[in-house]
Amino acid sequence: MNRTIARQDISTLRERRRLLLAMALRRVQAGSGSGETFLAERRTAVVEWPDLRQILAPVPWAIADGVATRAYMPERATQDLDILVQEQSFESALDTLVAAGYVDEGALSIPGHMLRSPTAVEIDLLWSDAPWVTPALAQPQTDPAGYPVLGLPYLVLMKLASSRLQDVADVSRMLGWTDDAILDEVRRVVARYSPADKDDLESLIFLGQQERGAGV
Protein backbone atom coordinates (compact mmCIF):
# COMPACT_ATOMS: atom_id res chain seq x y z
CA MET A 1 0.00 0.00 0.00
CA ASN A 2 1.33 3.46 -0.82
CA ARG A 3 2.49 5.60 2.09
CA THR A 4 0.09 8.31 0.90
CA ILE A 5 -2.88 6.23 2.08
CA ALA A 6 -3.55 6.72 5.78
CA ARG A 7 -3.78 3.80 8.20
CA GLN A 8 -7.43 4.54 8.99
CA ASP A 9 -8.24 4.42 5.27
CA ILE A 10 -6.75 0.92 5.03
CA SER A 11 -8.86 -0.18 8.00
CA THR A 12 -12.00 1.32 6.47
CA LEU A 13 -11.39 -0.43 3.15
CA ARG A 14 -10.95 -3.78 4.90
CA GLU A 15 -14.14 -3.28 6.88
CA ARG A 16 -16.07 -2.46 3.72
CA ARG A 17 -14.68 -5.52 1.95
CA ARG A 18 -15.58 -7.78 4.87
CA LEU A 19 -19.15 -6.52 4.85
CA LEU A 20 -19.37 -7.36 1.16
CA LEU A 21 -17.86 -10.80 1.76
CA ALA A 22 -20.22 -11.55 4.64
CA MET A 23 -23.20 -10.69 2.43
CA ALA A 24 -21.88 -12.80 -0.45
CA LEU A 25 -21.14 -15.79 1.79
CA ARG A 26 -24.70 -15.73 3.12
CA ARG A 27 -26.14 -15.79 -0.39
CA VAL A 28 -23.71 -17.95 -2.38
CA GLN A 29 -25.04 -20.95 -4.28
CA ALA A 30 -22.87 -23.52 -6.02
CA GLY A 31 -22.79 -23.23 -9.77
CA SER A 32 -24.51 -19.84 -9.85
CA GLY A 33 -22.12 -18.17 -12.27
CA SER A 34 -21.29 -18.36 -15.96
CA GLY A 35 -20.70 -21.68 -17.69
CA GLU A 36 -17.39 -23.46 -17.25
CA THR A 37 -16.44 -23.31 -20.93
CA PHE A 38 -17.06 -19.58 -21.04
CA LEU A 39 -14.98 -18.77 -17.98
CA ALA A 40 -12.25 -21.35 -18.40
CA GLU A 41 -11.52 -20.87 -22.09
CA ARG A 42 -12.57 -17.37 -23.13
CA ARG A 43 -9.50 -15.13 -23.08
CA THR A 44 -9.86 -12.31 -25.59
CA ALA A 45 -8.37 -8.93 -26.42
CA VAL A 46 -11.32 -7.53 -28.35
CA VAL A 47 -10.95 -4.03 -26.90
CA GLU A 48 -7.98 -2.27 -28.45
CA TRP A 49 -5.84 -0.22 -26.08
CA PRO A 50 -2.81 1.94 -26.89
CA ASP A 51 0.31 -0.20 -27.25
CA LEU A 52 2.83 1.35 -24.86
CA ARG A 53 5.47 -1.35 -25.16
CA GLN A 54 7.87 0.60 -27.35
CA ILE A 55 7.11 3.98 -25.81
CA LEU A 56 7.84 2.81 -22.25
CA ALA A 57 10.48 0.23 -23.15
CA PRO A 58 13.15 1.55 -20.72
CA VAL A 59 10.70 1.73 -17.79
CA PRO A 60 9.49 -1.34 -15.85
CA TRP A 61 5.69 -1.24 -16.06
CA ALA A 62 2.63 -3.45 -16.31
CA ILE A 63 -1.08 -3.08 -16.93
CA ALA A 64 -3.16 -3.21 -13.76
CA ASP A 65 -6.80 -3.20 -12.70
CA GLY A 66 -9.66 -3.91 -15.12
CA VAL A 67 -7.74 -4.42 -18.36
CA ALA A 68 -5.27 -6.76 -16.63
CA THR A 69 -8.07 -9.13 -15.62
CA ARG A 70 -8.51 -10.31 -19.21
CA ALA A 71 -5.36 -12.37 -18.75
CA TYR A 72 -7.16 -14.40 -16.07
CA MET A 73 -10.88 -14.30 -16.89
CA PRO A 74 -13.18 -13.25 -19.75
CA GLU A 75 -12.64 -9.69 -20.88
CA ARG A 76 -14.95 -7.12 -19.34
CA ALA A 77 -15.80 -3.53 -20.20
CA THR A 78 -13.71 -0.80 -18.60
CA GLN A 79 -13.28 2.87 -19.41
CA ASP A 80 -9.55 3.39 -18.93
CA LEU A 81 -6.17 1.72 -19.08
CA ASP A 82 -4.31 1.63 -15.76
CA ILE A 83 -0.56 1.10 -15.83
CA LEU A 84 1.64 0.71 -12.77
CA VAL A 85 5.25 1.84 -12.35
CA GLN A 86 7.62 2.12 -9.41
CA GLU A 87 7.66 5.44 -7.57
CA GLN A 88 11.18 6.22 -8.80
CA SER A 89 10.15 5.60 -12.43
CA PHE A 90 7.03 7.75 -12.38
CA GLU A 91 8.48 11.07 -13.56
CA SER A 92 10.43 9.36 -16.34
CA ALA A 93 7.34 7.45 -17.51
CA LEU A 94 5.21 10.60 -17.39
CA ASP A 95 7.74 12.62 -19.37
CA THR A 96 8.11 9.82 -21.92
CA LEU A 97 4.35 9.60 -22.50
CA VAL A 98 4.00 13.37 -22.83
CA ALA A 99 6.85 13.43 -25.35
CA ALA A 100 4.99 10.74 -27.33
CA GLY A 101 1.90 12.95 -27.61
CA TYR A 102 -0.06 11.95 -24.51
CA VAL A 103 -1.69 14.88 -22.71
CA ASP A 104 -1.16 15.13 -18.96
CA GLU A 105 -4.53 16.03 -17.41
CA GLY A 106 -3.27 16.21 -13.84
CA ALA A 107 -3.04 14.23 -10.64
CA LEU A 108 -5.49 11.53 -9.62
CA SER A 109 -6.96 11.08 -6.13
CA ILE A 110 -4.58 8.13 -5.78
CA PRO A 111 -0.85 8.36 -6.53
CA GLY A 112 -0.59 8.96 -10.26
CA HIS A 113 -1.70 11.10 -13.19
CA MET A 114 -4.41 10.82 -15.81
CA LEU A 115 -3.36 11.23 -19.42
CA ARG A 116 -5.17 11.24 -22.77
CA SER A 117 -3.73 9.34 -25.69
CA PRO A 118 -3.59 10.99 -29.15
CA THR A 119 -6.88 9.16 -29.84
CA ALA A 120 -8.45 10.41 -26.57
CA VAL A 121 -8.15 7.15 -24.60
CA GLU A 122 -7.79 7.67 -20.85
CA ILE A 123 -4.54 6.32 -19.44
CA ASP A 124 -4.07 6.29 -15.67
CA LEU A 125 -0.36 6.22 -14.88
CA LEU A 126 -0.12 4.93 -11.29
CA TRP A 127 2.90 4.63 -9.04
CA SER A 128 3.52 2.71 -5.85
CA ASP A 129 6.36 2.34 -3.38
CA ALA A 130 4.93 -0.91 -1.98
CA PRO A 131 7.62 -3.60 -1.54
CA TRP A 132 5.83 -6.03 -3.87
CA VAL A 133 5.97 -3.69 -6.88
CA THR A 134 9.60 -4.41 -7.77
CA PRO A 135 9.20 -8.22 -8.02
CA ALA A 136 5.83 -7.78 -9.72
CA LEU A 137 7.23 -5.59 -12.48
CA ALA A 138 10.33 -7.76 -12.85
CA GLN A 139 8.19 -10.73 -13.95
CA PRO A 140 4.98 -9.50 -15.59
CA GLN A 141 2.61 -11.88 -17.35
CA THR A 142 1.08 -11.24 -20.77
CA ASP A 143 -2.54 -10.78 -21.78
CA PRO A 144 -4.11 -12.13 -25.00
CA ALA A 145 -2.79 -9.09 -26.89
CA GLY A 146 0.75 -9.71 -25.67
CA TYR A 147 0.79 -6.67 -23.37
CA PRO A 148 2.55 -6.91 -19.98
CA VAL A 149 0.13 -7.31 -17.07
CA LEU A 150 0.60 -7.82 -13.36
CA GLY A 151 0.95 -11.45 -12.37
CA LEU A 152 -2.16 -12.77 -10.65
CA PRO A 153 -0.76 -12.71 -7.06
CA TYR A 154 0.17 -9.05 -7.40
CA LEU A 155 -3.02 -8.08 -9.20
CA VAL A 156 -4.92 -9.67 -6.30
CA LEU A 157 -2.82 -7.66 -3.82
CA MET A 158 -3.61 -4.42 -5.63
CA LYS A 159 -7.32 -5.18 -5.80
CA LEU A 160 -7.45 -6.21 -2.15
CA ALA A 161 -5.94 -2.84 -1.27
CA SER A 162 -8.62 -1.02 -3.26
CA SER A 163 -11.57 -3.19 -2.17
CA ARG A 164 -14.15 -1.59 -4.46
CA LEU A 165 -17.15 -3.76 -5.24
CA GLN A 166 -15.83 -4.45 -8.74
CA ASP A 167 -12.42 -5.37 -7.35
CA VAL A 168 -13.95 -7.89 -4.94
CA ALA A 169 -15.95 -9.43 -7.80
CA ASP A 170 -12.89 -9.56 -10.07
CA VAL A 171 -10.72 -11.26 -7.45
CA SER A 172 -13.36 -13.85 -6.64
CA ARG A 173 -13.94 -14.74 -10.27
CA MET A 174 -10.26 -14.91 -11.18
CA LEU A 175 -9.41 -17.07 -8.15
CA GLY A 176 -12.37 -19.37 -8.63
CA TRP A 177 -10.99 -20.52 -11.98
CA THR A 178 -7.34 -20.73 -10.96
CA ASP A 179 -5.53 -24.04 -10.48
CA ASP A 180 -4.19 -25.12 -7.10
CA ALA A 181 -0.54 -24.36 -7.87
CA ILE A 182 -1.27 -20.73 -8.75
CA LEU A 183 -3.64 -20.40 -5.79
CA ASP A 184 -0.80 -21.48 -3.52
CA GLU A 185 1.41 -18.79 -5.05
CA VAL A 186 -1.31 -16.18 -4.48
CA ARG A 187 -1.57 -17.32 -0.86
CA ARG A 188 2.19 -17.08 -0.42
CA VAL A 189 2.39 -13.56 -1.83
CA VAL A 190 -0.58 -12.27 0.18
CA ALA A 191 0.80 -13.86 3.37
CA ARG A 192 4.13 -12.12 2.77
CA TYR A 193 2.95 -8.65 1.81
CA SER A 194 -0.53 -8.32 3.34
CA PRO A 195 -1.03 -10.98 6.03
CA ALA A 196 -4.08 -9.20 7.46
CA ASP A 197 -5.93 -10.13 4.26
CA LYS A 198 -5.32 -13.91 4.40
CA ASP A 199 -8.77 -14.77 5.74
CA ASP A 200 -10.51 -12.56 3.18
CA LEU A 201 -8.47 -14.21 0.45
CA GLU A 202 -9.77 -17.65 1.47
CA SER A 203 -13.34 -16.34 1.44
CA LEU A 204 -12.83 -14.97 -2.07
CA ILE A 205 -11.41 -18.28 -3.25
CA PHE A 206 -14.40 -20.09 -1.76
CA LEU A 207 -16.89 -17.74 -3.40
CA GLY A 208 -15.19 -18.09 -6.77
CA GLN A 209 -15.15 -21.86 -6.55
CA GLN A 210 -18.79 -21.90 -5.56
CA GLU A 211 -19.65 -19.79 -8.59
CA ARG A 212 -17.80 -22.32 -10.68
CA GLY A 213 -19.64 -25.16 -8.94
CA ALA A 214 -16.40 -26.80 -7.83
CA GLY A 215 -17.06 -26.64 -4.10
CA VAL A 216 -14.07 -26.58 -1.79
Side-chain angles (χ1 to χ4, degrees), residues 8-168:
Q8 63 265 29
D9 293 331
I10 298 172
S11 177
T12 299
L13 290 171
R14 283 201 178 102
E15 289 175 6
R16 183 174 66 186
R17 185 205 314 144
R18 285 167 183 167
L19 285 172
L20 292 170
L21 287 173
M23 183 183 299
L25 288 167
R26 287 195 301 269
R27 297 172 180 267
V28 66
Q29 296 180 12
S32 58
S34 302
E36 182 164 351
T37 300
F38 176 75
L39 286 176
E41 298 179 1
R42 182 169 172 142
R43 300 291 185 272
T44 64
V46 174
V47 180
E48 294 185 7
W49 297 97
D51 187 349
L52 304 177
R53 286 174 291 185
Q54 291 188 349
I55 296 173
L56 290 176
V59 177
W61 67 282
I63 295 173
D65 206 24
V67 178
T69 64
R70 70 184 183 180
Y72 309 106
M73 71 181 199
E75 190 171 15
R76 66 169 177 81
T78 186
Q79 299 300 312
D80 55 8
L81 177 67
D82 291 355
I83 61 174
L84 179 67
V85 299
Q86 296 164 305
E87 179 186 13
Q88 63 267 32
S89 300
F90 174 73
E91 293 296 338
S92 174
L94 182 61
D95 291 345
T96 299
L97 288 169
V98 170
Y102 289 72
V103 177
D104 182 4
E105 297 199 348
L108 295 163
S109 60
I110 57 177
H113 276 222
M114 184 177 80
L115 299 97
R116 292 282 175 188
S117 77
T119 57
V121 176
E122 180 180 336
I123 308 292
D124 290 345
L125 176 63
L126 311 176
W127 65 262
S128 176
D129 62 354
W132 57 264
V133 173
T134 297
L137 297 183
Q139 293 184 311
Q141 302 300 304
T142 55
D143 73 0
Y147 297 171
V149 301
L150 286 178
L152 183 58
Y154 303 104
L155 183 57
V156 168
L157 272 179
M158 195 170 185
K159 285 183 168 291
L160 285 174
S162 177
S163 291
R164 297 169 300 180
L165 179 59
Q166 185 63 63
D167 292 315
V168 172

